[in-house]
């Protein structure tokens, strides 16, 4: 079990990359109304899941282009798990939730809503909400960011123009968007009470920390070339003598626009600092 409450912060450096594209805005980097860059919490958890998969952990919510089994959906992965199936149709929601937490690391860490048709509750369907102990906020840039847009062309047509084969078609023209430079920070917490319910342990917390330290390893893409994004620092707070509010702990870190920071000590909380890998 998790013996102490944990808070953490991640300082991220970005150079000539699109940290998190917005599909509703032409895949431009996410920027809030005040002009600050944003990396969604969903994006960050996806990367953590991928790093955990690379470390051999069983993950329920796998990306379709980054999966390690033959199942194409969460339901298929759930239904074809031997230990889940062994519970039978008469299994209670608590039994199913307990088994899912033991089977999949991301379920016992982040929680999961299991909402499927049939298979239990007398074949009426499954609707189980599991609250996970690990929460993480969206990352925001310390300063406002400028989004650069580049006009790009492909060297070949996607399809042949039958009327004029030598003519380039419209699909050869496109745009790429990036942020030239930025420092982002995000904060998270691991709740001890919720960890008890999902069987999340101190060992699991160490695995989360390890995954965060190498968050952008094997994460390269056209939008994020290798070396364009990195974890500069991870601050890991462990509540030793008493439980302090996460808001107060997070405020003790002051991140500056160049990636440096100051850290104020808090009674009853031990802070550790780690360099990204």
């Amino acid at each position: 079990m998790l013996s102490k409450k944990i808070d953490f912060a991640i300082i991220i450096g970005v150079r000539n990359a699109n940290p998190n594209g917005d599909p509703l805005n032409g895949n431009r980097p996410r920027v809030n109304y005040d002009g600050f860059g944003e990396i969604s919490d969903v994006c960050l958890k996806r990367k953590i899941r991928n790093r955990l998969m690379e470390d051999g952990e069983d993950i329920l919510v796998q990306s379709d282009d980054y999966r390690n089994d033959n199942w194409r959906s969460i339901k298929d992965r759930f239904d074809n798990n031997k230990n889940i199936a062994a519970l039978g149709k008469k299994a209670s929601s608590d039994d199913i939730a307990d088994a899912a937490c033991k089977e999949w690391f991301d379920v016992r860490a982040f929680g999961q809503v299991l909402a499927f048709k049939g298979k239990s509750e007398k074949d009426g369907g499954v609707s189980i909400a599991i609250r996970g102990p690990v929460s993480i906020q969206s990352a925001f840039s310390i300063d406002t960011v400028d989004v650069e847009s580049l006009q790009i062309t492909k060297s070949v047509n996607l399809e042949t123009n039958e009327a004029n084969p030598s003519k380039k078609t419209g699909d050869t023209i496109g745009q790429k968007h990036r942020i030239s430079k930025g420092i982002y920070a995000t904060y998270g917490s691991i709740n001890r009470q919720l960890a008890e319910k999902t069987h999340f342990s101190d060992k699991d917390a160490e695995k989360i920390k390890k995954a965060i330290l190498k968050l952008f390893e094997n994460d390269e893409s056209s939008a994020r070339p290798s070396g364009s994004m990195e974890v500069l620092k991870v601050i890991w707070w462990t509540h030793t003598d008493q439980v302090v509010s996460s808001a107060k702990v997070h405020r003790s870190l002051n991140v500056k626009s160049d990636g440096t920071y100051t850290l104020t000590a808090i009674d009853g909380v031990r802070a550790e600092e780690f360099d990204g890998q």
Side-chain angles (χ1 to χ4, degrees):
M1 295 296 105
L2 188 71
S3 58
K4 304 288 184 181
K5 178 184 175 182
I6 294 171
D7 282 288
F8 59 88
I10 313 170
I11 303 174
I12 299 168
V14 177
R15 185 179 293 274
N16 294 326
N18 184 342
N20 184 201
D22 184 352
L24 298 180
N25 191 23
N27 206 43
R28 291 168 61 85
R30 293 184 188 272
V31 177
N32 67 14
Y33 288 113
D34 295 320
F36 292 90
E38 179 179 357
I39 305 174
S40 74
D41 59 315
V42 176
C43 175
L44 294 171
K45 285 190 284 188
R46 174 74 270 153
K47 297 178 191 302
I48 292 174
R49 283 186 170 99
N50 288 349
R51 304 294 81 77
L52 289 167
M53 285 175 57
E54 293 165 1
D55 289 337
E57 299 298 330
D58 292 324
I59 300 297
L60 176 62
V61 183
Q62 299 184 24
S63 174
D64 195 46
D65 61 351
Y66 204 93
R67 54 190 170 88
N68 59 7
D69 57 27
N70 296 322
W71 312 122
R72 302 296 299 273
S73 69
I74 294 175
K75 186 177 188 302
D76 287 346
R77 192 168 292 114
F78 179 88
D79 289 344
N80 288 278
N81 181 274
K82 294 180 180 179
N83 292 327
I84 297 293
L87 295 174
K89 294 183 178 181
K90 294 183 179 180
S92 67
S93 295
D94 289 341
D95 289 339
I96 295 173
D98 190 70
C101 288
K102 292 177 180 177
E103 285 296 314
W104 293 291
F105 189 104
D106 58 330
V107 176
R108 67 175 177 270
F110 302 123
Q112 182 66 34
V113 175
L114 303 172
F116 309 130
K117 295 180 180 179
K119 283 293 182 181
S120 67
E121 296 291 336
K122 296 182 180 180
D123 285 335
V126 176
S127 183
I128 304 170
I130 302 172
R131 290 182 63 196
V134 181
S135 61
I136 187 168
Q137 304 174 14
S138 294
F140 291 94
S141 63
I142 304 304
D143 291 334
T144 57
V145 296
D146 293 323
V147 177
E148 299 177 352
S149 297
L150 306 175
Q151 197 80 14
I152 60 173
T153 59
K154 290 187 290 186
S155 59
V156 62
N157 292 333
L158 183 64
E159 296 180 352
T160 302
N161 186 333
E162 299 295 343
N164 188 355
S166 63
K167 182 180 179 181
K168 284 198 171 185
T169 58
D171 59 43
T172 60
I173 306 298
Q175 282 190 323
K176 287 185 68 174
H177 312 284
R178 69 187 184 193
I179 289 172
S180 59
K181 185 178 181 181
I183 299 294
Y184 290 67
T186 182
Y187 301 87
S189 180
I190 307 179
N191 182 285
R192 188 182 176 191
Q193 284 71 35
L194 293 175
E196 185 176 350
K197 294 181 179 180
T198 66
H199 310 288
F200 189 90
S201 65
D202 287 327
K203 186 176 180 180
D204 290 332
E206 286 298 313
K207 292 177 180 178
I208 287 285
K209 181 171 68 177
K210 180 181 177 182
I212 289 173
L213 288 171
K214 56 178 182 178
L215 196 62
F216 301 106
E217 203 173 281
N218 299 324
D219 191 57
E220 298 87 350
S221 72
S222 174
R224 301 178 305 279
S226 180
S228 63
M229 296 188 65
E230 63 174 326
V231 173
L232 299 176
K233 211 77 174 181
V234 172
I235 314 299
W236 196 262
W237 292 279
T238 303
H239 298 240
T240 55
D241 300 326
Q242 58 185 339
V243 175
V244 181
S245 75
S246 293
K248 182 177 181 180
V249 173
H250 297 168
R251 284 198 303 269
S252 70
L253 176 66
N254 180 27
V255 183
K256 301 177 182 179
S257 58
D258 61 355
T260 60
Y261 60 91
T262 56
L263 191 59
T264 303
I266 299 177
D267 291 338
V269 181
R270 183 178 74 251
E272 300 175 273
E273 304 168 44
F274 301 92
D275 292 325
Q277 297 179 4

